């Protein structure tokens, strides 16, 4: 029992010592009637892993909208700078998305890359800007290109 408790304490403390962020994408909310939430976990000073969840609330008849209805996007980021305030990064992502094309529903996975920059204040406030593209790879019913763009606001803890 003591060994299990020790392993649990070490496991939980490893997560509490690392930097983590929660963010919401304002660009999607204001321009596309879409909500995207993100969680990012820093594995070292120069790399992190994260996941984003996108939910599209725009009507199908809208002229300007995401093709994807929902998308879960696990990602890996490598930070090229490490000065504490503005950091530039490259990202590799896999966007698992669902949507509808020509009245046929689809689920597909897009592999892609993105670049961006992030500002982190001394109090933990985070502003990030990124852009990239992915390509759907598994279904002929889906759109071939998947965008990954955003302006995030969040908090680092």
């Amino acid at each position: 029992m003591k060994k299990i408790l020790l392993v649990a304490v070490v496991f939980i403390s490893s997560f509490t010592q690392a930097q983590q962020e929660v963010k919401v994408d304002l660009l999607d909310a204001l321009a596309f009637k879409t909500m995207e939430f993100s969680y990012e976990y820093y594995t070292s000073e120069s790399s992190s892993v994260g996941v984003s969840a996108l939910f599209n609330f725009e009507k199908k008849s809208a002229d300007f909208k995401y093709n994807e209805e929902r998308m879960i996007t696990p990602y890996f980021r490598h930070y090229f700078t490490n000065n504490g305030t503005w950091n530039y990064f490259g990202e590799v992502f896999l966007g698992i998305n669902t949507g509808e094309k020509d009245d046929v529903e689809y689920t597909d996975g897009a592999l892609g890359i993105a670049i961006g920059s992030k500002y982190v204040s001394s109090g933990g406030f985070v502003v990030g800007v990124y852009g990239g593209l992915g390509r759907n790879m598994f279904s002929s019913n889906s759109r071939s290109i998947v965008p990954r763009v955003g302006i995030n606001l969040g908090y680092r803890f």
Side-chain angles (χ1 to χ4, degrees), residues 20-24 26 84-86 118-128 151-157:
Q20 303 171 57
E21 294 175 2
V22 290
K23 299 170 278 199
V24 64
L26 285 184
T85 52
W86 278 103
K118 182 188 295 185
Y119 171 80
V120 181
S121 74
S122 60
F125 179 71
V126 176
V127 177
I151 299 174
N152 285 334
L153 292 178
Y155 181 72
R156 178 181 283 183
F157 53 96

Side-chain angles (χ1 to χ4, degrees), residues 78-116:
H78 177 75
Y79 290 87
F80 301 111
T81 56
N82 211 5
N83 66 10
T85 52
W86 278 103
N87 293 308
Y88 299 96
F89 61 85
E91 173 183 291
V92 175
F93 68 89
L94 174 66
I96 303 161
N97 59 86
T98 62
E100 187 177 302
K101 178 182 171 189
D102 300 329
D103 295 324
V104 177
E105 290 188 11
Y106 67 85
T107 300
D108 207 343
L111 184 60
I113 59 172
I115 59 170

Side-chain angles (χ1 to χ4, degrees), residues 15-16 25 28 48 53 64 67 71 95 98 117 124 131 138 142:
F15 282 106
T16 59
D25 191 338
D28 286 345
S48 66
F64 192 61
N67 294 317
M71 187 160 70
T98 62
S117 181
F138 304 111
S142 62

Side-chain angles (χ1 to χ4, degrees), residues 1 22-23 36 41-42 71 77 82-83 86 98 114 129 131 140 146:
M1 182 67 180
V22 290
K23 299 170 278 199
E36 184 174 12
Y41 175 80
Y42 285 79
M71 187 160 70
R77 287 183 176 169
N82 211 5
N83 66 10
W86 278 103
T98 62
V129 177
S140 61
V146 174

